[in-house]
Amino acid sequence: MELWFTEHHTKNVRLSIKVDKQLFTKQSSFQRIDIFESREFGRFLTLDGYMMLTEKDEFIYHEMIVHVPMASNPDIKKVLVIGAGDGGAIRELCKYPAVEHIDMVEIDKDVVDACRDYLPSVACKLDDPRVHITYEDGLRFVRRKEDEYDLIIVDSTDPFGPGEGLFTKEFYGNCYKALTANGILVNQHESPFYPDDARAMQRAHYRIRECFPLSRVYQAHIPTYPSGHWLFGFASKGIDPLKANLSQWEKLELTTRYYNTDIHKGSFALPTYVKDLLGDENESQY
Amino acid sequence: MELWFTEHHTKNVRLSIKVDKQLFTKQSSFQRIDIFESREFGRFLTLDGYMMLTEKDEFIYHEMIVHVPMASNPDIKKVLVIGAGDGGAIRELCKYPAVEHIDMVEIDKDVVDACRDYLPSVACKLDDPRVHITYEDGLRFVRRKEDEYDLIIVDSTDPFGPGEGLFTKEFYGNCYKALTANGILVNQHESPFYPDDARAMQRAHYRIRECFPLSRVYQAHIPTYPSGHWLFGFASKGIDPLKANLSQWEKLELTTRYYNTDIHKGSFALPTYVKDLLGDENESQY
């Protein structure tokens, strides 16, 4: 028997992964959740048929969404994570002794429960005493907050479906308000390669730029996401990731498999066609 | 009707591209050559069923294999290109007024003829008066050369099939001999992501390192290659791409869509897992 999971990256491109078996499937109140077992990527999680993570390459996404902001400001103590029901971003955040409190706001409890059961290497730190989980729409949660978080990580699904509100100007404005004076907002920023993704990325980027005085974009190689070329948005009230003193991060001696202080700087060097999509402000200023 | 081209990136992963029609197919003396028309990627060339280039993303590969070495030494005058029958590397090289002579050595004349006919935006500079084409095995050609080229670009197929000899120690040693005192060797270096590719990459890298005093690796996002994470090898008798004076390149005012002087530096910043595969020497030394 051959069982293949196939995702359409566009109408005309599809990536297929051979599956050993389906471990879990559920239609939650928000989306369809599936977890599969595969030889090439280990277990992987899909929401509404879109790849969220695989055991083989999730370290790339989770390290890049967490360590870039954390290394940019060693004084981060209170963090809000929106989405991220799988726990991967939480796992990376829990590596920092200086972090005192993490609020995780996930709209879909079924995702968290499934990941606890079937993806323990990802969900392993959800019970860390610093982690406080709220099951609510991140958009609503953040509205009530003011001057509270040193870092907000938006680890959302794509800008359609349940994650749609997390790409609006209202949401970014509320994040700005919820952040402390040194606050940083990081979000997954889609891919620049396929035209529809690039337009969604561009729209979200312009909205963030209207809300924050400093806004940069960085990139990573994530083989199981469409095109493999993935962007992250870094916005702040002033902290510049390219002026960070990275020797402090080195002293922590954390174990990482993708992120390092060379990558920290190098990931902000964007191809010309991506710079053109983002507008002139995104000079990496080496 | 639906017509899909499918490439297995491993036994368990495949990328499929919707095809409008097949424009060309031929079994040459060396390999099967196909050119397809597609909505997403424009025309694309495959050899023995492996993706070589698409009109949509070939600029990434060709700019990165040419401009990184060319910007590292503005005095490059004589260049040897091995493989590259499509003409993409030649097109980028011809942008440099200082380049006086380009030898292109391609084993398979049928590839060149097919690209001239069906991929004119790629093959467009093959008739530049500085370009001299020899149809021969690159391995044999380079054996006869000594102290002749400022740059050798190895734009080969994978390390099996017709391109196999271009990943051997004997070949790298002959390249060293064929290069001038400031000589640079650049080659396509496979992907670090899937284990079989990574092992082939590692083997080739160690062989190059035994032959050249300076050896670095840089990366690019190439969506239609396996994993989308592609490496290039930069080896030289002394010229260091990270110490190049890139302002000279800026002054040329060449038009590029991927390469820029930020990317020049940033592309040498490798993920930790790739550094581990390559060994400690590959510090990017920002």
Side-chain angles (χ1 to χ4, degrees):
Chain A
M1 185 199 77
E2 296 218 353
L3 185 62
W4 290 79
F5 164 84
T6 294
E7 179 177 347
H8 276 256
H9 287 175
T10 78
K11 223 168 51 184
N12 307 307
V13 186
R14 54 194 196 196
L15 185 73
S16 303
I17 296 173
K18 197 170 177 185
V19 166
D20 282 343
K21 60 182 170 189
Q22 188 177 29
L23 297 170
F24 177 83
T25 183
K26 181 172 185 176
Q27 180 67 47
S28 76
S29 312
F30 300 97
Q31 54 208 337
R32 176 167 168 172
I33 306 163
D34 290 278
I35 298 177
F36 299 94
E37 177 86 48
S38 77
R39 185 158 300 217
E40 196 70 45
F41 296 102
R43 294 178 176 189
F44 64 90
L45 166 71
T46 66
L47 296 179
D48 286 338
Y50 294 101
M51 178 62 77
M52 292 295 120
L53 65 86
T54 81
E55 284 183 325
K56 184 173 161 72
D57 71 346
E58 57 85 12
F59 70 100
I60 303 171
Y61 179 89
H62 291 126
E63 289 186 11
M64 290 301 279
I65 206 166
V66 167
H67 299 303
V68 172
M70 289 301 294
S72 297
N73 176 13
D75 295 326
I76 289 171
K77 290 187 172 55
K78 190 163 184 181
V79 183
L80 170 60
V81 180
I82 293 176
D86 52 72
I90 300 293
R91 180 193 63 205
E92 295 304 311
L93 280 167
C94 284
K95 292 180 176 173
Y96 290 84
V99 168
E100 293 169 359
H101 185 106
I102 303 169
D103 279 324
M104 171 176 143
V105 182
E106 163 63 53
I107 201 168
D108 194 345
K109 185 171 184 295
D110 287 328
V111 171
V112 179
D113 292 343
C115 292
R116 280 187 196 271
D117 288 346
Y118 294 99
L119 291 162
S121 68
V122 186
C124 55
K125 291 291 177 186
L126 288 175
D127 294 323
D128 186 286
R130 295 169 290 177
V131 177
H132 306 265
I133 305 181
T134 305
Y135 297 108
E136 188 184 344
D137 184 352
L139 194 61
R140 289 166 54 101
F141 183 93
V142 80
R143 251 184 229 141
R144 307 191 292 270
K145 302 292 177 177
E146 205 172 323
D147 190 23
E148 189 164 336
Y149 298 102
D150 305 310
L151 170 62
I152 299 176
I153 293 177
V154 188
D155 180 2
S156 67
T157 50
D158 296 326
F160 41 87
E164 201 170 334
L166 304 178
F167 289 84
T168 59
K169 204 180 157 193
E170 189 223 337
F171 173 67
Y172 297 133
N174 286 328
C175 286
Y176 184 91
K177 186 168 63 66
L179 286 168
T180 58
N182 278 326
I184 297 170
L185 171 72
V186 167
N187 75 338
Q188 76 88 349
H189 222 73
E190 301 291 306
S191 169
F193 188 70
Y194 294 115
D196 286 353
D197 300 344
R199 270 189 294 274
M201 181 278 285
Q202 214 174 14
R203 263 197 310 275
H205 180 69
Y206 282 118
R207 287 178 193 147
I208 291 176
R209 221 165 60 185
E210 285 177 46
C211 295
F212 285 83
L214 188 144
S215 162
R216 294 193 183 282
V217 169
Y218 61 101
Q219 62 188 1
H221 287 92
I222 304 182
T224 55
Y225 282 2
S227 88
H229 187 173
W230 213 253
L231 303 181
F232 297 89
F234 183 110
S236 81
K237 297 190 177 181
I239 282 184
D240 187 344
L242 293 175
K243 293 179 181 148
N245 175 2
L246 299 174
S247 61
Q248 298 202 48
W249 188 85
E250 299 276 15
K251 281 189 202 127
L252 294 172
E253 294 186 348
L254 305 183
T255 301
T256 53
R257 289 160 60 206
Y258 191 92
Y259 178 85
N260 56 57
T261 52
D262 283 339
I263 281 281
H264 182 105
K265 285 172 278 186
S267 66
F268 286 90
L270 303 177
T272 302
Y273 85 93
V274 180
K275 285 189 188 191
D276 289 346
L277 286 169
L278 296 172
D280 281 344
E281 288 92 304
N282 254 273
E283 286 306 316
S284 83
Q285 302 173 344
Y286 271 98
Chain B
M1 184 198 80
E2 296 217 355
L3 184 62
W4 290 79
F5 164 83
T6 294
E7 180 178 346
H8 277 256
H9 287 175
T10 77
K11 224 169 49 184
N12 308 307
V13 186
R14 53 194 195 197
L15 184 74
S16 303
I17 297 173
K18 197 170 178 186
V19 165
D20 283 343
K21 60 182 170 187
Q22 187 176 31
L23 297 170
F24 177 84
T25 183
K26 180 172 186 176
Q27 180 67 47
S28 77
S29 313
F30 301 98
Q31 54 209 337
R32 176 166 167 173
I33 305 164
D34 290 279
I35 297 177
F36 299 95
E37 177 85 49
S38 77
R39 185 158 301 218
E40 196 71 45
F41 296 101
R43 295 179 175 189
F44 64 90
L45 166 70
T46 66
L47 296 179
D48 286 338
Y50 294 100
M51 178 62 79
M52 291 297 119
L53 65 86
T54 81
E55 284 182 325
K56 184 172 161 72
D57 72 346
E58 56 86 10
F59 69 100
I60 302 172
Y61 179 89
H62 291 127
E63 289 186 11
M64 289 302 278
I65 206 165
V66 166
H67 299 304
V68 172
M70 288 303 294
S72 298
N73 177 14
D75 295 326
I76 289 171
K77 289 185 174 58
K78 190 161 183 182
V79 183
L80 170 60
V81 181
I82 293 175
D86 52 72
I90 299 293
R91 179 192 64 205
E92 296 304 311
L93 280 167
C94 284
K95 292 180 176 173
Y96 291 84
V99 168
E100 293 168 0
H101 186 105
I102 302 169
D103 278 323
M104 171 177 143
V105 182
E106 163 63 53
I107 201 168
D108 194 345
K109 185 171 185 297
D110 287 326
V111 172
V112 178
D113 292 342
C115 293
R116 281 186 195 271
D117 289 346
Y118 293 99
L119 291 162
S121 69
V122 186
C124 56
K125 291 293 177 184
L126 288 175
D127 294 323
D128 186 285
R130 295 170 290 177
V131 177
H132 306 266
I133 305 181
T134 305
Y135 297 108
E136 188 184 343
D137 184 352
L139 193 62
R140 288 165 55 100
F141 183 92
V142 80
R143 249 182 230 143
R144 306 191 292 271
K145 301 291 176 177
E146 203 172 325
D147 189 24
E148 189 163 337
Y149 297 102
D150 304 309
L151 169 62
I152 298 176
I153 293 176
V154 188
D155 179 2
S156 67
T157 51
D158 296 327
F160 41 86
E164 201 170 335
L166 304 178
F167 289 84
T168 59
K169 204 178 159 196
E170 189 223 336
F171 173 67
Y172 298 132
N174 285 329
C175 285
Y176 185 91
K177 185 168 62 69
L179 286 168
T180 58
N182 279 325
I184 297 170
L185 170 72
V186 168
N187 75 338
Q188 76 87 350
H189 223 73
E190 301 290 307
S191 169
F193 187 70
Y194 294 115
D196 286 352
D197 299 346
R199 271 189 294 274
M201 182 278 285
Q202 214 174 14
R203 263 199 308 275
H205 181 69
Y206 282 119
R207 286 177 194 149
I208 291 177
R209 222 165 59 186
E210 285 176 45
C211 295
F212 285 83
L214 188 144
S215 162
R216 295 192 184 281
V217 169
Y218 61 102
Q219 63 188 0
H221 287 92
I222 304 180
T224 54
Y225 282 2
S227 88
H229 188 173
W230 213 253
L231 303 181
F232 297 90
F234 183 110
S236 81
K237 297 190 177 181
I239 282 184
D240 187 345
L242 293 175
K243 293 180 181 147
N245 175 2
L246 298 175
S247 62
Q248 297 202 48
W249 189 85
E250 299 276 15
K251 280 189 202 129
L252 293 171
E253 294 186 349
L254 305 183
T255 301
T256 53
R257 290 161 61 205
Y258 191 93
Y259 178 85
N260 56 57
T261 53
D262 283 340
I263 281 279
H264 182 105
K265 285 171 276 186
S267 66
F268 286 90
L270 304 177
T272 302
Y273 85 94
V274 180
K275 284 190 188 190
D276 290 347
L277 286 169
L278 295 173
D280 281 341
E281 288 92 304
N282 255 274
E283 287 306 317
S284 82
Q285 303 173 345
Y286 269 98

